[in-house]
Amino acid sequence: MMNEIREKSISPTRVNAVTVFCGSSSGFNNAFSDAARLLGKSFATRGVKLIYGGGRSGLMGILADSALASKGNVIGVIPDFLKDRELAHPGLTDLHVVSSMHERKQKMFDLAEAFIVLPGGIGTLEEAFEVLTWKQLKRHNKPIIIINTDNYWSPLDALIKATVTEQFAKPGTQGMYIMVQTIKEAVDCLI
């Protein structure tokens, strides 16, 4: 089934720019930090441009630092009110400062050819659901890959399945994203 989903979701061309949604906190599980670190390095070594929320803390900071340490291209998008709190990462390849969270999501969407979701909180959920909703409404057909590190996103997958079972969502809803367990699987979906 996963190959069938991949064939529908991923174009045969290489993806060059990926927006990653993830936490501004690291969480307590070291596997989350390890996943962010490995994803950043994997993007850099493969020449994939990383687009993310522009922060320097949590998984966001780990992801950016790892890509930058491996000579990657890292683009941050941050609203001015967060930049003003000195939360913006100072060493990025490029930083777009926007006026609102809505503009941030739109800019991150516009720059991306695909999306990856790492562990995170309410903001990460909101960003992921927005691109899923836009895909459901046929506003895009960009791949959405959820990395289920240590089964973090299993409850989300179950919830989405429940929305289909209870007929609040169409049967194809779970086919709008690919859920993988490892960074390697996620990167393999893009290249």
Side-chain angles (χ1 to χ4, degrees), residues 13-18 46-51 111 113-114 190:
T13 60
R14 181 181 191 276
V15 173
N16 296 305
V18 179
R46 288 170 177 81
V48 175
K49 184 187 303 179
L50 167 62
I51 300 132
L111 293 170
E113 297 172 6
L190 301 173

Side-chain angles (χ1 to χ4, degrees), residues 24-87:
S24 59
S25 172
S26 299
F28 73 91
N29 186 337
N30 289 335
F32 303 153
S33 296
D34 293 343
R37 195 172 293 109
L38 182 56
L39 184 61
K41 181 178 181 179
S42 296
F43 276 12
T45 58
R46 288 170 177 81
V48 175
K49 184 187 303 179
L50 167 62
I51 300 132
Y52 84 115
R56 66 174 187 231
S57 63
L59 296 184
M60 290 199 309
I62 293 167
L63 175 71
D65 287 343
S66 176
L68 291 166
S70 296
K71 309 287 188 247
N73 189 349
V74 182
I75 311 301
V77 183
I78 195 164
D80 53 7
F81 74 90
L82 289 178
K83 181 184 181 288
D84 292 344
R85 290 187 201 169
E86 299 181 3
L87 297 176

Side-chain angles (χ1 to χ4, degrees), residues 77-145:
V77 183
I78 195 164
D80 53 7
F81 74 90
L82 289 178
K83 181 184 181 288
D84 292 344
R85 290 187 201 169
E86 299 181 3
L87 297 176
H89 194 295
L92 303 178
T93 307
D94 195 12
L95 180 66
H96 297 268
V97 180
V98 296
S99 63
S100 70
M101 294 296 279
H102 294 292
E103 283 184 51
R104 177 195 218 182
K105 288 182 293 184
Q106 185 65 55
K107 185 70 171 176
M108 290 168 71
F109 174 84
D110 291 342
L111 293 170
E113 297 172 6
F115 304 94
I116 286 183
V117 183
L118 286 171
I122 302 253
T124 303
L125 280 168
E126 192 267 337
E127 291 165 333
F129 270 111
E130 183 135 7
V131 295
L132 280 167
T133 300
W134 290 351
K135 191 166 188 171
Q136 180 180 24
L137 296 172
K138 301 192 184 326
R139 304 303 297 164
H140 75 90
N141 194 29
K142 298 175 183 182
I144 302 167
I145 301 164

